[in-house]
Amino acid sequence: MMREKKERSSDLVQGTLDMLILRTLARGRAHGYAIAESIHLKSQDVLRVEESALYPALHRLELRGLVASGWGTSENNRRAKYYRLTPRGLKYLDAESARWDRMTAAIARVMETA
Amino acid sequence: MLPEWMTKIGLRIGALFRRGQLERDLDEELQFHLAMHQQKLEEQGMPPEEARYAARRAFGNPTQTKETSRDLWTFRFLETLAQDLRYGLRQLRRNPGFTVAAVLTLALGIGTNTAIFSLIDTILIKSLPVRKPEQLFLFRWESPHVVTDALPYPLFDQIRSNAHAFQAMYAFCNLDLATSVDGKPGLAAGQLVSGNFFSMLGVRTVAGRPFTPEEDRVPGGDPVAIISYRYWKRQFGLDPSAVGKFITLNGSLFTIIGITGPNFDGISVGASPDIWVPMMMQAQVMDGRALLNDPRGWFFRILGRLKNGVTTAEATADLNVAYHQTAMAEAGARITPQIRQELAGQRISLVPASRGLSALRDLVAKPLLILMGLVGLVLLIACANVASLLLTRASTRQKEIALRAALGAGRARLIRQLFTESVLLAILGSLAGLVLAHYGEEFLLALPFAGVTPLTLNLNPGRTMLVFYACTMLFTAILFGSAPALRASRVDLNEALKAGGRGVGGAGGRPSRSNLSNSIVVGEVALSLVLLAAAGMLVRSLLKLRNVNPGFNQKNVLIASIDPELIGYRGERLTNLYSQITDVIAPLPGIRSVSLSAVRPISRSQWRTGVYVRGHVVRPSENATVPWNLIAPDFFRTLEIPLLQGRDFTARDNAGAPKVAIINEAMARFYFGERSAIGRHLSLTGPGGEEIEIVGVVGNAKYGSMREPPQHIVYLPYPQAPGGGLSFGMTIELRTAGNPNSFVGPVRQAIRGVGRQIPILSFTTLAEEVNNSLAQERTVAELSCLFGLVALILAAVGLYGVMAYTVSRRASEIGIRMALGAQPQDVQGMVLRESLGLVIIGLAIGVPLTIAMAHLISSQLYGISQADPLTFIAVSLILVAVALLACYIPARRAAKVDPMIALRYE
């Protein structure tokens, strides 16, 4: 129960992670490890996603119908769970990106003023 | 696309079944991640072992990850609930003493409540087990002077065809039946009903068939009968061959064609007919007296079922239009302005019959509700006791609770877990209470609630009962569980986990803890006071009633009820029979005097008539009707009611002689003041009606019950019964020289000597009747004493428990006191004084509550005030004495505390 409380207070971080995951999946379906690696690479080693945050996030996104999952074979012939973006997820991603852009622009403006 | 919350719930429900699979999937997914990372590290050149460890380390705690994910698809609430239940059960099992004590206490409280409530449900709340009972209404005929539910049959016949707001109507009439089956005589309660009775009510037969409308056409044409399940059991032992058997009812032969189901007891709650007979057979069972065409035979009650969608107001209007039309048509050419005016004052109103017709209900409603209140108090006291127990136990569990809090349980979680234990206790207590209630109900049904006849009730638990039961369970759990749960969960971790597991030590915790326990004790004392005071007042009322002067001498009077009418005596033949009977009994040895009366004394029967005295102006506040009786000569001598003026009736006051009457003192004084009433006249039918001369005045005597206020009573000689002809059985009263019961044999023989077949309904004595008339008061007083005793025991046990625990907790304090010089007596005295203090506070709180209670039960009280000091004082003394007794042992134990041991323990 205490854990839930912590997560609630960091909703901002949670929402951002969701957005990053969805964006990664927009480029194509991937399994959990690949998503983590992708985010790590694309952010040029700045963002590292904890496994304890990644998988619950993925499962939550699946619950909300924003991603869908299926089992497949990985590149090294292992059974892995692959995730892909759903139409609803794509819509959500667009909305969240727009919101993110607005927010970052606003923050930038505030920080600019002398 | 489904809304989000639905997919969520759907997933969780689905997950319930696929738990195993989901767990494996999750595991596999995480394993894959680990493997991939390990592989990557290996590709970067790390040795496999190191890579594996490095990957693991980087991964963090898989368990936590799993838990977070798992939470998504489980009903966390249910899981923790299951956990709590298992834990709670384990705790209860580990403390058998506590569990048994708590469960028994709860069983006592819940069981008694359930038992009383089932009575209330059956008598006061439940609807008839018939189709759409809310559509059923009884017809009530109202005029300025008389209100009656019994109407003439021709009226019913005509209204039936004219009233359009009803889909069906039927008439019914109760009567006693002298039965004979296979030659064996017996008595049964009968009911004449129209042919559509069973179909209109939607009642099915369990064997044979119900009446058909054809059987409602031809008078005397269908000698068929339907018997009740209860009668079938009693008389035929559930023998299936009963259908088709012949049965003689009041002299006429009938065939049994059907048996009703076990849940149908007729439409009167508490009084069920044994045998139903078609209305057309009326003359056959009332010995030839054809009432179906008699516009003056006011015997038939009418029940109507509204058409679907018709309101009561519409139906009433429609009915009255039909009635007035009918009445006008009846009068026809003979209509006069006077008759028209009379008609205008008459109307028919609709009385709801959805819960059945019940004289029983009115008799028993208030006492039952009072008992319910009392038994509710018992439940509160029981809950208080259990709360005390829980508080005591909670303080010994401080360490365990603190540990759980330290491990991460939030306060809400702790409260929920403790509360679950309370609910478990409540459930166990309720189940045990159900068993108690079962026997309790049997016991209650056997008690004389409404006179002596035990209630014929079907105590089948219905929806209402289950709802009540569940609510009681929940209510008690909340009541006794919340305070301890809230208290226990408020834990100071540091204090509790310290080595001294003495419970929450320190000045901070103690006073508030003991305050709660003390408040509970104070509350119990207050409630016990209310309960015991109620019992005391009811007992005193009963004693006062017993000592009421009835106006007659109830000793040594034998009473026999006979009904020769059932076998065909009528009119003059009947009158002659009665005088034959008295002639034959009077000379028997040991019989001082014998007489007859139509209304049995103190039998709750009420015959009422309007009374008009010439020259007296009726004030609007006066009672429109007075009780009256038909009697034989010597009635007053037999009952030893003093004759104050004039004379008694004699054999010369027969049918042809001038009409005479005797009135009682209250009536004479009211109408004539100090002047003599002899020679004055009164009329029973109205101003200008037939004049009856007053020939005697007698002392005031109780008529229907011992509780009634003084009334005006009119006595008439039975041969001069108004309306021509007797139509009821008579009661024979005899004053005997010794124990009346020893004369039953000779009297029965004498009656048989006059007419062998004369049905003798019962033998009793006047003293018994008086006693029985107080049966309900006695029952209520007895039960309230029982509840009071239970409450007293519970409160004593509760007080003992709290005191014992207080003493054990304060052992170190007592040790210090004794070390500083206090003597054992001083310590003992201190404990006793403290408990006495609690009791006195409880009494103080209880007094205003008791006064409020007395106000509520004032209808049951007789002869005592609502703040009866004698009861208050006596009950308070009892409580104080019991409290001191309960505290005696803890006080002794306190005195025996060894200071060395107590101090060392700290």
Side-chain angles (χ1 to χ4, degrees):
Chain A
M1 220 162 157
M2 283 180 188
R3 259 169 276 116
E4 271 178 46
K5 280 204 202 113
K6 260 201 294 203
E7 272 150 17
R8 255 183 246 129
S9 60
S10 55
D11 263 351
L12 182 61
V13 179
Q14 175 70 56
T16 316
L17 176 60
D18 284 352
M19 195 178 66
L20 295 176
I21 294 177
L22 290 175
R23 188 67 186 89
T24 311
L25 286 177
R27 295 188 205 102
R29 65 172 205 144
H31 51 67
Y33 186 73
I35 296 174
E37 285 295 285
S38 170
I39 293 179
H40 188 60
L41 283 172
K42 286 292 299 221
S43 70
Q44 296 173 355
D45 288 357
V46 175
L47 297 174
R48 250 205 119 254
V49 186
E50 293 261 334
E51 290 78 4
S52 56
L54 172 70
Y55 285 98
L58 277 171
H59 296 148
R60 214 173 324 201
L61 286 172
E62 185 177 2
L63 214 77
R64 291 166 67 184
L66 303 179
V67 304
S69 70
W71 287 92
T73 326
S74 72
E75 45 278 5
N76 48 359
N77 281 326
R78 277 201 156 91
R79 210 167 94 94
K81 204 172 196 187
Y82 279 84
Y83 293 87
R84 60 174 173 80
L85 203 57
T86 62
R88 193 195 253 178
L90 187 58
K91 255 198 342 218
Y92 182 81
L93 174 60
D94 288 338
E96 281 301 295
S97 310
R99 196 172 70 85
W100 178 260
D101 290 338
R102 273 200 311 277
M103 220 170 52
T104 44
I107 294 176
R109 278 199 299 277
V110 169
M111 296 304 286
E112 223 179 78
T113 23
Chain B
M1 290 290 284
L2 291 173
E4 212 173 284
W5 63 268
M6 273 186 82
T7 30
K8 269 198 192 149
I9 299 220
L11 184 72
R12 289 186 193 207
I13 295 182
L16 274 176
F17 299 106
R18 298 184 306 131
R19 253 324 251 295
Q21 183 62 43
L22 283 173
E23 285 285 335
R24 282 193 292 274
D25 282 355
L26 185 56
D27 221 18
E28 198 171 342
E29 194 174 2
L30 296 181
Q31 283 299 323
F32 173 76
H33 188 112
L34 257 179
M36 291 294 286
H37 196 183
Q38 182 183 343
Q39 190 177 330
K40 173 172 164 201
L41 288 176
E42 281 179 18
E43 283 164 12
Q44 290 175 348
M46 218 184 266
E49 276 299 314
E50 228 185 287
R52 194 147 63 87
Y53 284 134
R56 280 246 174 91
R57 265 200 311 276
F59 195 87
N61 185 2
T63 315
Q64 204 173 354
T65 317
K66 279 196 212 169
E67 268 196 41
T68 321
S69 286
R70 209 183 284 137
D71 272 355
L72 290 175
W73 72 61
T74 55
F75 287 111
R76 187 105 92 89
F77 177 68
L78 281 184
E79 290 216 350
T80 49
L81 188 64
Q83 229 172 17
D84 289 343
L85 280 175
R86 274 199 302 271
Y87 187 72
L89 276 174
R90 225 178 20 238
Q91 285 292 85
L92 289 180
R93 245 205 314 270
R94 242 192 265 149
N95 295 298
F98 162 81
T99 312
V100 166
V103 168
L104 279 183
T105 311
L106 285 176
L108 211 55
I110 296 183
T112 44
N113 270 276
T114 308
I116 298 270
F117 187 78
S118 71
L119 271 185
I120 289 184
D121 179 42
T122 309
I123 299 178
L124 300 181
I125 301 179
K126 240 203 275 206
S127 299
L128 285 180
V130 299
R131 197 166 49 86
K132 287 215 185 147
E134 64 278 5
Q135 283 179 338
L136 296 174
F137 290 88
L138 182 73
F139 290 10
R140 176 165 290 168
W141 188 88
E142 295 168 0
S143 78
H145 294 291
V146 184
V147 169
T148 175
D149 296 338
L151 308 177
Y153 194 80
L155 184 64
F156 162 70
D157 229 354
Q158 293 186 320
I159 292 184
R160 194 163 41 165
S161 30
N162 287 341
H164 305 295
F166 293 87
Q167 49 175 292
M169 271 187 230
Y170 72 81
F172 66 99
C173 172
N174 293 335
L175 74 164
D176 292 320
L177 293 174
T179 63
S180 179
V181 180
D182 296 333
K184 283 200 299 270
L187 285 171
Q191 194 174 68
L192 284 163
V193 292
S194 303
N196 60 352
F197 173 77
F198 291 102
S199 61
M200 187 173 134
L201 292 179
V203 173
R204 270 190 271 262
T205 50
V206 81
R209 63 170 182 84
F211 294 145
T212 62
E214 282 69 46
E215 278 149 354
D216 206 25
R217 298 249 166 82
V218 180
D222 300 276
V224 292
I226 292 181
I227 62 179
S228 75
Y229 191 87
R230 209 185 285 270
Y231 186 70
W232 185 37
K233 198 169 177 184
R234 195 176 80 218
Q235 194 75 6
F236 296 97
L238 300 183
D239 180 4
S241 72
V243 178
K245 258 208 161 93
F246 286 113
I247 182 170
T248 308
L249 302 173
N250 286 354
S252 303
L253 198 64
F254 285 78
T255 314
I256 298 177
I257 59 161
I259 305 171
T260 60
N263 280 339
F264 183 65
D265 271 334
I267 49 172
S268 298
V269 175
S272 49
D274 298 317
I275 306 178
W276 287 276
V277 167
M279 184 60 73
M280 288 297 122
M281 301 304 293
Q282 175 269 324
Q284 279 68 26
V285 289
M286 289 196 186
D287 183 63
R289 195 157 30 122
L291 292 174
L292 297 180
N293 295 323
D294 185 354
R296 278 175 314 202
W298 293 66
F299 291 110
F300 303 92
R301 304 165 87 189
I302 305 178
L303 217 69
R305 184 187 277 286
L306 295 182
K307 281 200 178 130
N308 293 331
V310 174
T311 68
T312 318
E314 290 168 5
T316 312
D318 174 71
L319 185 60
N320 278 288
V321 163
Y323 169 66
H324 284 108
Q325 276 177 359
T326 307
M328 299 285 260
E330 266 291 301
R334 293 172 288 127
I335 192 132
T336 68
Q338 187 190 19
I339 294 184
R340 215 188 285 267
Q341 191 183 28
E342 254 181 54
L343 274 182
Q346 296 166 0
R347 61 187 297 275
I348 301 185
S349 64
L350 294 178
V351 179
S354 61
R355 289 179 298 129
L357 313 168
S358 187
L360 178 69
R361 190 173 298 136
D362 303 321
L363 270 182
V364 155
K366 279 224 187 78
L368 267 187
L369 289 175
I370 289 176
L371 285 175
M372 189 81 213
L374 293 180
V375 106
L377 289 179
V378 171
L379 183 63
L380 286 178
I381 296 179
C383 287
N385 263 8
V386 178
S388 249
L389 278 173
L390 280 175
L391 274 179
T392 312
R393 213 165 68 94
S395 68
T396 54
R397 288 173 66 183
Q398 280 306 306
K399 257 195 164 168
E400 166 220 329
I401 295 178
L403 201 63
R404 306 181 89 215
L407 281 177
R411 178 134 189 252
R413 179 83 175 78
L414 285 173
I415 292 180
R416 199 167 73 202
Q417 194 250 311
L418 290 169
F419 197 69
T420 311
E421 288 180 29
S422 301
V423 170
L424 266 179
L425 267 182
I427 292 178
L428 287 175
S430 302
L431 289 175
L434 202 58
V435 173
L436 186 65
H438 180 73
Y439 291 109
E441 280 162 22
E442 285 187 19
F443 170 68
L444 283 176
L445 275 186
L447 289 176
F449 266 105
V452 189
T453 0
L455 308 170
T456 51
L457 291 176
N458 249 328
L459 286 186
N460 287 332
R463 252 192 334 246
T464 332
M465 275 307 296
L466 290 176
V467 168
F468 171 80
Y469 193 60
C471 286
T472 315
M473 239 195 283
L474 202 60
F475 173 70
T476 51
I478 294 177
L479 201 60
F480 69 72
S482 41
L486 286 170
R487 164 61 51 80
S489 56
R490 197 193 319 147
V491 156
D492 184 348
L493 285 177
N494 270 331
E495 285 290 334
L497 287 176
K498 272 203 256 202
R502 222 178 354 125
V504 174
R510 229 190 291 147
S512 55
R513 160 76 41 89
S514 58
N515 268 349
L516 188 57
S517 300
N518 289 346
S519 316
I520 291 181
V521 168
V522 163
E524 283 192 34
V525 170
L527 290 176
S528 301
L529 178 70
V530 175
L531 207 49
L532 287 172
M537 287 186 190
L538 288 170
V539 167
R540 284 204 73 198
S541 298
L542 181 64
L543 291 175
K544 292 248 162 164
L545 273 173
R546 275 242 177 91
N547 292 333
V548 157
N549 178 13
F552 50 74
N553 182 0
Q554 56 180 285
K555 281 208 276 279
N556 290 341
V557 175
L558 182 65
I559 294 182
S561 272
I562 62 172
D563 198 353
E565 263 208 306
L566 288 179
I567 53 167
Y569 284 86
R570 267 187 318 157
E572 200 171 324
R573 202 166 148 241
L574 183 60
T575 318
N576 287 341
L577 178 70
Y578 282 135
S579 40
Q580 276 178 23
I581 290 179
T582 48
D583 288 342
V584 124
I585 293 180
L588 288 178
I591 306 285
R592 294 258 171 79
S593 71
V594 62
S595 179
L596 305 163
S597 71
V599 177
R600 191 149 45 145
I602 315 295
S603 64
R604 275 216 172 90
S605 260
Q606 281 267 343
W607 282 11
R608 298 195 84 94
T609 176
V611 136
Y612 304 91
V613 173
R614 205 200 307 162
H616 179 87
V617 176
V618 176
R619 283 191 293 270
S621 60
E622 279 172 27
N623 212 341
T625 60
V626 299
W628 64 292
N629 207 346
L630 290 168
I631 57 174
D634 277 350
F635 178 74
F636 303 109
R637 193 159 74 94
T638 308
L639 259 52
E640 290 187 14
I641 300 175
L643 179 65
L644 300 174
Q645 298 176 32
R647 65 167 180 86
D648 192 0
F649 296 138
T650 67
R652 273 174 293 134
D653 297 310
N654 56 17
K659 300 272 194 253
V660 292
I662 296 178
I663 63 177
N664 72 348
E665 190 183 353
M667 188 168 172
R669 206 177 286 276
F670 177 77
Y671 284 105
F672 309 114
E674 294 303 321
R675 289 159 309 182
S676 169
I678 309 300
R680 304 295 291 266
H681 290 81
L682 57 80
S683 155
L684 297 181
T685 45
E690 180 176 22
E691 297 243 311
I692 304 177
E693 184 186 347
I694 300 175
V695 295
V697 176
V698 292
N700 296 326
K702 297 287 180 192
Y703 178 83
S705 88
M706 301 293 277
R707 286 188 91 119
E708 66 190 29
Q711 310 196 70
H712 304 169
I713 307 182
V714 174
Y715 300 92
L716 300 177
Y718 74 89
Q720 295 181 356
L726 295 169
S727 49
F728 23 74
M730 292 288 262
T731 310
I732 309 173
E733 291 98 2
L734 337 107
R735 177 161 292 282
T736 61
N739 183 356
N741 285 312
S742 51
F743 290 84
V744 170
V747 169
R748 194 198 296 271
Q749 257 187 323
I751 297 177
R752 290 251 182 275
V754 175
R756 217 158 26 95
Q757 291 298 321
I758 297 177
I760 300 178
L761 299 177
S762 63
F763 274 99
T764 177
T765 70
L766 189 54
E768 243 180 83
E769 286 289 284
V770 169
N771 210 20
N772 290 341
S773 76
L774 297 178
Q776 185 185 82
E777 281 84 354
R778 213 175 24 248
T779 303
V780 174
E782 280 170 6
L783 281 179
S784 61
C785 281
L786 181 66
F787 297 147
L789 190 65
V790 169
L792 196 58
I793 294 178
L794 284 177
V797 167
L799 185 59
Y800 167 81
V802 168
M803 276 296 128
Y805 181 64
T806 309
V807 163
S808 72
R809 253 193 326 106
R810 291 164 66 181
S812 57
E813 175 201 333
I814 296 176
I816 294 179
R817 282 181 192 256
M818 293 186 91
L820 286 178
Q823 296 301 313
Q825 302 92 286
D826 298 332
V827 172
Q828 209 171 342
M830 178 185 81
V831 172
L832 283 177
R833 264 200 316 274
E834 284 195 21
S835 32
L836 200 61
L838 288 179
V839 170
I840 291 182
I841 297 179
L843 289 178
I845 296 180
V847 164
L849 289 177
T850 308
I851 295 183
M853 172 276 300
H855 186 69
L856 287 174
I857 70 171
S858 56
S859 64
Q860 294 296 108
L861 301 178
Y862 184 87
I864 62 173
S865 78
Q866 284 179 22
D868 182 41
L870 187 60
T871 311
F872 268 95
I873 294 176
V875 163
S876 306
L877 286 177
I878 292 178
L879 270 175
V880 167
V882 167
L884 287 177
L885 200 68
C887 297
Y888 179 65
I889 296 184
R892 284 286 303 274
R893 229 183 267 156
K896 291 220 199 93
V897 165
D898 185 340
M900 292 304 289
I901 297 181
L903 290 173
R904 211 179 297 145
Y905 181 41
E906 176 163 15

